[in-house]
Amino acid sequence: MKKIAFIGVGVMGKSMVRNLNKAGYHTTIFTRTKSKVDNLINEGIYWSNTIKECVQNKDIIMTMVGYPKDVEEIYYGNHGILENAKENAICIDFTTSAPALAQKIYTDAKMRNIKSLDAPVSGGDIGAKNGTLSIMVGGDWDVFEDVYPLFQILGQTINYVGQAGLGQHTKMTNQIVIAGTIAGVVEAIHYAHQTNLDTDTMMKCISKGAAGSWQLEHNGQAILDNNLQPGFYIKHFIKDMKIAQEEMSDRDIELEILNKVLEMYTNLNKDELGTQALIHHYEKEN
């Protein structure tokens, strides 16, 4: 049984660690604030004091942190992953991060006889809890094949998309679709409120038809339940949209819908809430 290190145990990471643990994998975790994972420690999952200690002698090193700068910080330096992982260890970064950084980690890992995959996920806290995430994987095919059984524990839709960095590019397309979809969901609910529709009946009418989507079913219902707690933080969605924006800016291409949704979220100043809090964009103005 492969030994696993998991670094960055947030909203989704906790559930992923639990699923690995339930499947019988010895998983050691590191997160900057120990108190945030007290419940995992109480469940018998070992917490390391440092990244160096966490990754040493581990077969698989999984990472899921907030921002590209956090990815760079944990992978590089004397106490980082690349300096302390054993030869032939496999690094899997689940963070939604910059494609160029994924390519850099792949190249630098290979020089140290370490393997690397960029494997961003989609599905939010619900997908992480249920083990039904969508996982889009860039890197070498043989490495993907080697860890495929681990991906099956964490996700339901698992696709190899090509060379290093293409996992991140694929995730950008996912976030572009979400940007337009969540904005449409919020506008529909706002329209329903303004026209005195019964929103529960409205949801029954449209959620199973051509307008149906994960965003409508989950985040739309969360808005109706007045639940704005994060399954996915606004601050992380803003980060993702900015990555996509920068990728296209380098190619002199404008993503008009994404740019507008990014502006709406940025003006909200509610970074710690879930993405469904976009409803406040309309409440603020009306």
Side-chain angles (χ1 to χ4, degrees), residues 65 67-75 93 95 97 101 105:
V65 292
Y67 299 86
K69 63 181 177 59
D70 300 318
V71 174
E72 196 156 14
E73 182 180 311
I74 63 174
Y75 273 89
D93 186 26
T95 313
S97 182
L101 179 56
I105 290 170

Side-chain angles (χ1 to χ4, degrees), residues 73 98 125 145 188-189:
E73 182 180 311
D125 60 330
E145 279 192 309
I189 291 172

Side-chain angles (χ1 to χ4, degrees), residues 110-266:
K110 197 167 190 176
M111 290 173 59
R112 295 168 170 83
N113 293 317
I114 297 168
K115 302 165 186 176
S116 172
L117 297 172
D118 53 293
V121 300
S122 181
D125 60 330
I126 296 169
K129 183 178 181 180
N130 296 334
T132 57
L133 292 168
S134 174
I135 309 175
M136 42 216 91
V137 188
D140 293 336
W141 169 259
D142 60 327
V143 181
F144 169 76
E145 279 192 309
D146 193 14
V147 297
Y148 188 79
L150 289 173
F151 288 142
Q152 288 181 302
I153 294 167
L154 303 173
Q156 196 169 54
T157 305
I158 305 154
N159 287 292
Y160 175 76
V161 298
Q163 66 187 20
L166 292 186
Q168 297 296 350
H169 277 303
T170 305
K171 181 61 186 289
M172 289 304 105
T173 66
N174 184 85
Q175 303 308 76
I176 291 166
V177 171
I178 289 176
T181 306
I182 187 62
V185 167
V186 170
E187 284 201 357
I189 291 172
H190 178 63
Y191 180 94
H193 286 158
Q194 297 303 307
T195 55
N196 297 316
L197 284 175
D198 181 275
T199 51
D200 289 333
T201 303
M202 179 270 290
M203 284 287 284
K204 290 176 185 176
C205 290
I206 71 173
S207 61
K208 302 302 179 184
S213 69
W214 192 99
Q215 292 295 322
L216 180 62
E217 181 180 352
H218 294 280
N219 277 335
Q221 189 59 51
I223 292 168
L224 299 187
D225 294 339
N226 199 30
N227 174 15
L228 303 182
Q229 293 307 301
F232 188 56
Y233 283 105
I234 285 177
K235 62 183 179 182
H236 290 154
F237 193 38
I238 288 174
K239 173 261 298 183
D240 296 351
M241 288 189 284
K242 285 183 176 179
I243 291 172
Q245 188 181 60
E246 289 164 7
E247 287 292 329
M248 289 298 97
S249 178
D250 290 343
R251 296 165 172 80
D252 293 323
I253 296 171
E254 184 176 359
L255 301 175
E256 295 179 14
I257 293 173
L258 179 133
N259 290 346
K260 179 59 180 176
V261 176
L262 174 57
E263 179 187 343
M264 290 159 67
Y265 273 113
T266 302

